[in-house]
């Protein structure tokens, strides 16, 4: 039974994580994560739990395991950091910039916004009429960020970072995360910090970025789990369950990973 096999492997992994890192995740950490997910799902939260076959307690136990794994992965990633990782991330890093966003539903509306901005119509007026990025100031459309931000969609961010100060973009089409519909953004860059010469000037920022990128990489997480299970000398004698655990035990690191991009990190092969 694949479901039973998965539950068993999760239990084995959770037990090892709990034994090694139990003091690294507190009950407060779990409660905060639970509250965040509850807010995210809103009125659908209870039905989502039921659909997943979870109770409040079993879901909190699941969240705890997830947080423990996250800690294990980030710890491993930090221990492996090399100057080459920083240098690779620094190449496409863009320092702090301030941008005003106008969001429209159609390309024609976006073209109108471009024309209005070139006539120096106030961005606030256009934000009030059309809308703006969810993380931006809802009155002014303004947001300050750097290229490691999670507040701007990656496909939108990639088109914003090259824009010069006081320039207005052409309409930028992206897929809305929630509705999966195409929406359009027109942006005006109002401020942009000059990029310093060395990655060491941004070491703390780049460190967090590289570690978080690795933490979101499923391939890298499997590698960390594999090392943990080997450390605990996990063996499964029951043939029915052996394949589930061995997918981790036999896991090998690869130099390129599915979650990385050119800004991320140079993942090192062992």
């Amino acid at each position: 039974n694949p479901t039973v096999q998965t539950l068993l492997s999760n239990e084995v992994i959770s037990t090892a994580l709990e034994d090694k890192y139990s003091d690294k995740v507190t009950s407060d950490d779990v409660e905060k994560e639970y509250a965040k997910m509850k807010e995210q799902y809103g009125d659908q939260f209870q039905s989502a739990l039921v659909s997943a076959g979870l109770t409040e307690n079993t879901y909190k136990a699941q969240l705890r395991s997830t947080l423990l794994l996250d800690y294990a992965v980030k710890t491993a990633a930090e221990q492996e950091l090399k100057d080459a990782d920083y240098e690779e991330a620094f190449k496409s890093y863009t320092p702090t910039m301030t941008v005003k966003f106008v969001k429209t539903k159609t390309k024609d509306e976006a073209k109108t916004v471009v024309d209005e901005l070139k006539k120096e119509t106030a961005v606030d007026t256009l934000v009030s009429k059309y809308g703006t990025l969810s993380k931006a100031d809802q009155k002014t459309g303004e947001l300050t960020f750097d290229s490691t931000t999670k507040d701007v969609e990656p496909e939108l961010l990639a088109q914003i970072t090259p824009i010069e100060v006081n320039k207005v973009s052409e309409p930028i089409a992206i897929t809305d995360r929630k509705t999966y519909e195409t929406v359009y953004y027109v942006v005006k860059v109002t401020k942009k910090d000059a990029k310093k010469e060395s990655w060491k000037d941004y070491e703390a920022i780049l460190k967090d970025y590289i570690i978080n990128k690795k933490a979101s990489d499923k391939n890298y997480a499997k590698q960390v789990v594999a090392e943990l299970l080997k450390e605990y000398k996990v063996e499964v004698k029951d043939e029915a369950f052996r394949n589930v655990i061995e997918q981790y035990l036999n896991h090998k690191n690869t130099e390129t990973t599915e979650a990385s991009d050119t800004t991320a990190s140079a993942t090192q092969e062992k």
Side-chain angles (χ1 to χ4, degrees):
N1 186 320
T3 303
V4 174
Q5 291 175 353
T6 301
L7 288 171
L8 173 67
S9 67
N10 290 345
E11 185 65 31
V12 170
I13 294 165
S14 294
T15 301
L17 287 167
E18 194 69 57
D19 186 74
K20 187 166 185 177
Y21 300 111
S22 61
D23 61 334
K24 304 302 182 184
V25 174
T26 67
S27 56
D28 282 347
D29 293 331
V30 175
E31 291 297 334
K32 284 177 186 175
E33 190 66 17
Y34 182 84
K36 185 171 81 173
M37 297 307 295
K38 190 173 183 179
E39 182 181 1
Q40 183 177 313
Y41 278 90
D43 295 339
Q44 303 300 315
F45 182 69
Q46 286 301 327
S47 60
L49 284 184
V50 172
S51 297
L54 296 167
T55 65
E56 180 177 325
N57 288 335
T58 56
Y59 183 51
K60 285 181 179 179
Q62 193 178 89
L63 287 175
R64 178 172 174 80
S65 293
T66 300
L67 291 171
L68 286 168
L69 178 58
D70 186 60
Y71 179 85
V73 171
K74 286 181 177 178
T75 299
E78 183 172 3
Q79 290 170 350
E80 292 177 4
L81 273 176
K82 295 178 177 64
D83 285 1
D85 297 316
Y86 286 105
E87 288 164 1
E88 184 67 24
F90 178 67
K91 285 178 186 177
S92 51
Y93 173 71
T94 300
T96 302
M97 59 194 300
T98 301
V99 178
K100 293 192 174 186
F101 295 80
V102 181
K103 177 183 178 181
T104 69
K105 293 180 180 179
T106 69
K107 189 172 184 178
D108 285 342
E109 288 177 342
K111 287 179 178 177
T112 300
V113 170
V114 172
D115 292 339
E116 291 295 328
L117 287 175
K118 287 180 177 177
K119 292 176 189 174
E120 299 193 351
T121 301
V123 177
D124 302 29
T125 303
L126 297 168
V127 167
S128 176
K129 182 175 181 179
Y130 295 105
T132 189
L133 188 77
S134 62
K135 296 290 185 179
D137 184 291
Q138 294 302 296
K139 290 184 178 179
T140 66
E142 189 171 273
L143 182 68
T144 299
F145 55 91
D146 68 7
S147 62
T148 68
T149 186
K150 293 181 179 178
D151 292 338
V152 183
E153 298 274 7
E155 58 185 318
L156 178 57
L157 182 65
Q159 296 189 64
I160 293 172
T161 50
I163 299 173
E164 296 175 6
V165 175
N166 293 325
K167 297 293 184 182
V168 175
S169 75
E170 290 302 311
I172 302 170
I174 72 162
T175 303
D176 187 275
R177 277 183 188 174
K178 293 182 179 178
T179 64
Y180 299 103
E181 295 176 348
T182 300
V183 294
Y184 296 85
Y185 284 95
V186 177
V187 306
K188 182 176 183 179
V189 177
T190 59
K191 185 180 177 185
K192 208 170 187 180
D193 288 357
K195 188 172 182 177
K196 297 177 183 178
E197 292 185 4
S198 172
W199 63 261
K200 292 182 179 179
D201 292 307
Y202 307 102
E203 185 169 355
I205 294 169
L206 295 176
K207 178 181 178 180
D208 284 345
Y209 177 73
I210 296 163
I211 289 173
N212 286 327
K213 269 290 182 182
K214 280 196 171 184
S216 66
D217 176 5
K218 292 178 182 178
N219 185 63
Y220 185 74
K222 273 191 172 184
Q223 176 195 334
V224 173
V225 170
E227 293 301 320
L228 180 68
L229 296 180
K230 287 172 186 175
E231 180 185 338
Y232 278 81
K233 296 181 172 62
V234 172
E235 292 182 12
V236 180
K237 294 182 179 179
D238 191 321
E239 194 69 38
F241 301 118
R242 185 173 296 166
N243 290 342
V244 186
I245 296 300
E246 285 188 348
Q247 69 170 310
Y248 294 100
L249 294 176
N250 297 331
H251 181 77
K252 294 180 180 178
N253 188 24
T254 55
E255 190 171 32
T256 55
T257 63
E258 61 193 49
S260 297
D261 60 23
T262 53
T263 312
S265 62
T267 305
Q268 302 297 312
E269 268 203 288
K270 291 188 176 180

